[in-house]
Amino acid sequence: MSLVMAIANKNGIVMSGDRRLTIQKTYHGEAEFTNTYYNDRTQKIYISERGHVFGIAGCAISIDGRYIPDILPNIIRELDKESLTLKEELVIIQNELRHNIVNPASILCAGIENGENVIFRTSTDIENSEIISKTDGVYGGDAIGMYTTALNIIKESGIHTYDLSLSELVDFMQSVNSTTAKSIKKIKSVNEKCDIVAITPEYGAKWVLEDRSRIYELK
């Protein structure tokens, strides 16, 4: 699984993506068993040249055995060659992933267009392929992956995100990500650390850097 979140308010948008890639391998023999491996350096959110941010959650393995970091950046690089809206870019990514990955994945994206905060959610699954808008132009948000747990944590916190500065929103989303990770009992498919992007009208989409050794694919 994963946890990717985006929250918008009057100050801009903050988007986060945890760093864990969960790999399960089933071995068949006299006794069938499954081993679970974790990679905690995985990037799940990406910034395009136009300042749009895309995140993916789910078992996104390509037909030829590649994982998220080997699939999504190349698609986004191709999008950067054209002048497209966030929704138009999302449609292309959705179609490309649908034809290249084995299992369905969820996609969350965010950006500021014509002065409005925009967040969309969709899936590569044919039955859930509708592109859903998650803002009113200013306020809104959504999550994919372990979204039920994360949204419950947000609700139980009692914090109204529309009042937060972007710095406070970054801290809050880091806390939600960490709390979600700690709450998982069995397959711990969310890492306590996450990558974060802040999107503002003044500066566009920028990484919020805590780990200086962290190297990001794309912008």
Side-chain angles (χ1 to χ4, degrees):
M1 196 52 76
S2 295
L3 178 58
V4 177
M5 298 181 286
I7 298 177
N9 66 19
K10 61 184 180 182
N11 297 307
I13 307 171
V14 175
M15 189 159 172
S16 68
D18 86 285
R19 300 178 179 179
R20 176 160 292 171
L21 174 64
T22 305
I23 304 169
Q24 289 187 295
K25 293 185 177 180
T26 300
Y27 298 87
H28 303 278
E30 293 183 7
E32 184 175 295
F33 62 95
T34 300
N35 280 347
T36 301
Y37 307 89
Y38 300 115
N39 176 344
D40 288 333
R41 299 290 296 174
T42 302
Q43 183 180 337
K44 298 179 184 175
I45 56 175
Y46 300 87
I47 305 174
S48 74
E49 286 292 333
R50 295 179 62 79
H52 298 156
V53 186
F54 298 90
I56 190 167
C59 189
I61 302 174
S62 70
I63 295 170
D64 57 3
R66 292 175 297 148
Y67 292 97
I68 297 168
D70 302 311
I71 303 171
L72 193 51
N74 291 331
I75 299 173
I76 294 174
R77 286 190 185 95
E78 290 300 313
L79 294 178
D80 288 337
K81 298 176 182 178
E82 303 182 55
S83 180
L84 302 171
T85 66
L86 179 62
K87 190 172 184 178
E88 289 171 338
E89 291 179 332
L90 179 56
V91 169
I92 293 173
I93 290 174
Q94 181 187 41
N95 288 332
E96 288 288 331
L97 289 177
R98 181 179 292 145
H99 292 99
N100 282 285
I101 60 177
V102 176
N103 298 306
S106 298
I107 311 167
L108 190 66
C109 63
I112 297 177
E113 294 185 323
N114 300 317
E116 293 191 346
N117 293 336
V118 183
I119 298 173
F120 292 114
R121 184 194 73 210
T122 192
S123 170
T124 62
D125 185 354
I126 295 292
E127 295 182 0
N128 297 290
S129 61
E130 180 184 2
I131 293 176
I132 302 172
S133 173
K134 303 303 294 187
T135 68
D136 61 5
V138 180
Y139 302 99
D142 205 355
I144 56 175
M146 296 294 294
Y147 67 92
T148 301
T149 302
L151 295 179
N152 283 338
I153 290 169
I154 292 172
K155 182 179 180 179
E156 291 170 4
S157 74
I159 294 175
H160 300 294
T161 58
Y162 52 78
D163 287 331
L164 301 181
S165 67
L166 286 190
S167 177
E168 291 170 331
L169 191 52
V170 166
D171 291 342
F172 176 64
M173 291 174 69
Q174 286 175 323
S175 175
V176 172
N177 183 91
S178 177
T179 304
T180 300
K182 292 175 182 176
S183 72
I184 301 172
K185 302 302 182 183
K186 294 184 179 180
I187 299 174
K188 295 185 174 296
S189 57
V190 176
N191 184 249
E192 290 184 33
K193 292 185 177 181
C194 60
D195 297 317
I196 291 188
V197 173
I199 313 171
T200 63
E202 297 85 1
Y203 302 106
K206 301 293 182 183
W207 293 107
V208 177
L209 296 176
E210 285 196 331
D211 181 357
R212 294 293 174 180
S213 67
R214 183 83 166 140
I215 298 175
Y216 294 105
E217 184 80 29
L218 299 180
K219 184 178 175 183

